[in-house]
Amino acid sequence: MQEHWQSALTDMRSKLAAETFETWLAPIGWGGCEGHKLRLLIPNKFYAEWIRSHYLDILLGLVRDKSGIRDVEVCWEVREQTELPQPAQTVRAPEHAVRPVLLPKAAAPARVPKDLNGKYRFDRFVVGTSNELAHAASIAAAANPGARYNPLFIYGGVGLGKTHLLNAIGYGVLDTQPNARIVYVSAERFTNEFIAAVKNHKIGEFRDTYRSQCDVLLVDDIQFLATREKTMEEFFHTFNALYHANKQIVVSSDVDLKQMKEMEERLVSRFHWGLAADIQAPEQDTRVAIVKKKALQEDIVLPDEVAHFIAETVDSNVRQLEGALLRLAVAAELRKQPIDLASARKALQGLQPPREGLITVDDIQRAVCAYSNVALSDLKSPRRHRSVARARMIAMYVCRQRLNMSYTEIGDRFGGKDHTTVLSAVHKIEAQILSQDADVLANVQAVQQRLNRS
Ligand code: ADP
Ligand code: MG
């Protein structure tokens, strides 16, 4: 399969401008294949979005033709930092283009658990008043795992750095205890593995992984367990076993302990044993610092005034700040011109924050319905007709972005949809915006403008 993939790339090289090929396709690494699924290694997650929306169909078409296999699929894997080529070997992209992330300066620990993301370390985290408590607690937990801040409960809205801190704690522990066994898991994966373990009679192995073979347990997005009683119970026992063995436990959540109504009381009370630290949306100065740091890391040349402009325009969460920066970089790359204020204004049109007044879920739903010609009742119904589903996803995305509501709250306001449905809708629209899907962009911008006027 590898030769078919390489040969497809060679074909693409002759079809695309050299710069485009070098920027987007050359950095893709071959990670092997399982059955008909190709594992492709990419420098960062944006590559996946970009390639998916621009070249994937053509690439897969070529691989299918060459191999004669119809059901070829791909999965993306962000390359571990330590596996990246040295800068000298990195493909040279134009001055202003997005280039693969360079090697981190800190020495890599001896043994890095495969689930930790090397991009998320303390030295890449910008500290401001919005996150200083969570950051300080994370540093302390990493320096002295299992001691004072145990368990550590980090909560805050989406895209504010919870996952980043969890990973950084993992790396931080490894800096001083290279043999520590760090287990990073999302509550969703914990749930899926638990269900599979029960089904396949492998509960012993499951418990071994999370109880016996673990010195630091990092559980991301614990709110996912809220309605899953069996898994919650299992997690409760995992928690107790680790806690009593003085192992560090760090948990993140996008809701505050007080709001975890569906979470079992005894579990919530465990989280109270340690420290709960919140992360707020970053203030302007921190946003500027984050954008600048990010540009530096991704080798994007970014004038100061544009950094300030982005930080003023996108004030909700850090993931969106990064998305905005990337959009500018991609637009500049396509125009073959450096980023400047005028192009930034154009590229980020429609993302401006609300001018005044409070916007409600009703306002958002009405604005979306008006734009897409969908009835309000359909928006809240289970209907899956394409245009209805699209409008619903956009409305959910805007609710999340403008009102920073939890997925569960949004689900409630859309006729009682499950929070995972909301989560995947929001992620889907985010991805489409990042890949500059013209339809979705126009739609979201129109809704935003309508809201800003109201
Ligand atoms: P959450 O888990 O809270 O939804 P993430 O940790 O995934 O958020 O953060 C979203 C993105 O924003 C990540 O790429 C992360 O590196 C970045 N980020 C968040 N906070 C900061 C910060 N204070 N400094 C630098 N990058 C940050
Ligand atoms: Mg996260």
Side-chain angles (χ1 to χ4, degrees):
M1 198 58 112
Q2 185 176 7
E3 69 268 31
H4 299 312
W5 168 252
Q6 292 303 351
S7 152
L9 278 184
T10 310
D11 286 6
M12 288 297 273
R13 188 189 281 276
S14 62
K15 288 195 172 93
L16 294 173
E19 245 175 38
T20 310
F21 183 85
E22 298 291 289
T23 307
W24 295 108
L25 299 187
I28 306 178
W30 174 256
C33 66
E34 290 157 28
H36 297 163
K37 194 179 246 185
L38 319 182
R39 211 154 63 90
L40 301 177
L41 310 178
I42 43 174
N44 63 51
K45 61 180 189 283
F46 298 128
Y47 271 71
E49 297 307 338
W50 181 258
I51 293 160
R52 196 177 292 136
S53 61
H54 289 77
Y55 309 117
L56 193 61
D57 285 346
I58 313 175
L59 274 166
L60 286 185
L62 288 169
V63 175
R64 280 184 201 119
D65 290 348
K66 289 170 195 294
S67 63
I69 298 170
R70 291 290 93 200
D71 55 345
V72 181
E73 285 177 67
V74 298
C75 65
W76 304 102
E77 195 166 297
V78 175
R79 221 193 287 249
E80 281 289 337
Q81 296 289 308
T82 44
E83 286 174 20
L84 279 182
Q86 295 293 334
Q89 300 161 349
T90 332
V91 183
R92 301 304 305 173
E95 265 309 285
H96 54 273
V98 187
R99 259 185 256 142
V101 190
L102 301 182
L103 279 174
K105 301 208 175 45
R111 206 174 53 89
V112 178
K114 66 176 181 356
D115 297 318
L116 286 185
N117 184 338
K119 273 170 59 185
Y120 296 159
R121 296 178 191 234
F122 285 126
D123 62 355
R124 290 188 168 211
F125 193 83
V126 175
V127 187
T129 38
S130 55
N131 57 28
E132 61 190 352
L133 175 65
H135 175 259
S138 300
I139 296 262
N144 248 324
R148 260 176 75 199
Y149 300 126
N150 197 24
L152 174 59
F153 182 85
I154 298 176
Y155 67 95
V158 70
L160 297 183
K162 301 182 295 295
T163 298
H164 191 135
L165 283 179
L166 255 57
N167 279 270
I169 293 172
Y171 278 101
V173 172
L174 288 173
D175 277 346
T176 50
Q177 304 180 23
N179 293 321
R181 292 161 305 178
I182 315 284
V183 177
Y184 167 89
V185 66
S186 67
E188 183 171 3
R189 207 183 83 207
F190 185 88
T191 306
N192 294 339
E193 288 182 8
F194 173 62
I195 294 169
V198 172
K199 193 165 143 224
N200 303 322
H201 309 290
K202 294 208 164 141
I203 196 72
E205 279 170 43
F206 178 86
R207 289 187 179 146
D208 196 48
T209 307
Y210 289 105
R211 299 187 196 179
S212 318
Q213 301 294 328
C214 172
D215 298 315
V216 176
L217 179 63
L218 310 162
V219 185
D220 215 351
D221 293 315
I222 194 86
Q223 75 281 349
F224 186 85
L225 294 191
T227 50
R228 294 171 168 81
E229 279 168 31
K230 287 257 158 35
T231 318
M232 215 173 341
E233 167 95 22
E234 178 66 21
F235 181 71
F236 178 74
H237 294 299
T238 307
F239 180 102
N240 287 342
L242 290 174
Y243 186 83
H244 292 299
N246 292 328
K247 309 291 190 188
Q248 177 72 42
I249 302 154
V250 186
V251 169
S252 85
S253 162
D254 71 5
V255 289
D256 181 358
L257 281 173
K258 290 195 274 300
Q259 294 169 341
M260 299 188 104
K261 295 188 198 85
E262 293 147 323
M263 189 73 85
E264 235 189 279
E265 191 109 344
R266 54 184 184 156
L267 194 48
V268 174
S269 85
R270 291 293 190 274
F271 297 147
H272 279 293
W273 288 356
L275 178 79
D278 70 324
I279 308 187
Q280 302 288 335
E283 53 291 339
Q284 168 78 6
D285 288 354
T286 313
R287 293 201 298 274
V288 173
I290 290 174
V291 171
K292 285 187 173 174
K293 188 159 191 144
K294 199 78 200 168
L296 206 65
Q297 280 161 11
E298 304 276 334
D299 252 347
I300 297 169
V301 180
L302 185 75
D304 258 11
E305 52 178 9
V306 180
H308 280 92
F309 172 72
I310 300 176
E312 268 162 29
T313 309
V314 183
D315 65 355
S316 44
N317 80 48
V318 182
R319 191 170 296 135
Q320 274 166 356
L321 269 184
E322 291 183 352
L325 174 64
L326 187 88
R327 267 172 71 183
L328 295 190
V330 168
E333 147 79 4
L334 293 177
R335 282 197 333 274
K336 306 199 185 316
Q337 276 177 5
I339 297 176
D340 61 20
L341 194 54
S343 62
R345 279 191 204 288
K346 202 154 159 245
L348 301 189
Q349 238 172 31
L351 289 184
Q352 263 80 358
R355 294 287 157 250
E356 61 200 27
L358 276 181
I359 290 167
T360 64
V361 177
D362 289 339
D363 295 334
I364 293 173
Q365 291 176 333
R366 272 199 296 272
V368 171
C369 287
Y371 178 84
S372 45
N373 220 357
V374 164
L376 191 59
S377 54
D378 279 344
L379 210 61
K380 299 181 183 180
S381 74
R383 279 197 70 194
R384 290 185 173 195
H385 185 273
R386 213 177 122 78
S387 58
V388 176
R390 157 73 74 92
R392 190 182 295 127
M393 288 195 293
I394 289 186
M396 287 174 166
Y397 166 81
V398 178
C399 284
R400 181 75 185 174
Q401 195 211 20
R402 294 287 284 255
L403 309 178
N404 209 10
M405 294 162 70
S406 76
Y407 296 121
T408 313
E409 280 169 339
I410 298 176
D412 287 348
R413 302 295 301 269
F414 283 78
K417 304 277 181 306
D418 188 66
H419 80 278
T420 50
T421 309
V422 182
L423 186 125
S424 73
V426 171
H427 283 182
K428 190 156 177 192
I429 300 296
E430 266 172 9
Q432 286 170 337
I433 289 180
L434 273 179
S435 63
Q436 304 219 296
D437 181 312
D439 244 21
V440 171
L441 273 174
N443 207 325
V444 171
Q445 284 174 7
V447 171
Q448 301 277 27
Q449 276 156 9
R450 201 178 278 260
L451 289 169
N452 290 350
R453 278 200 310 267
S454 63

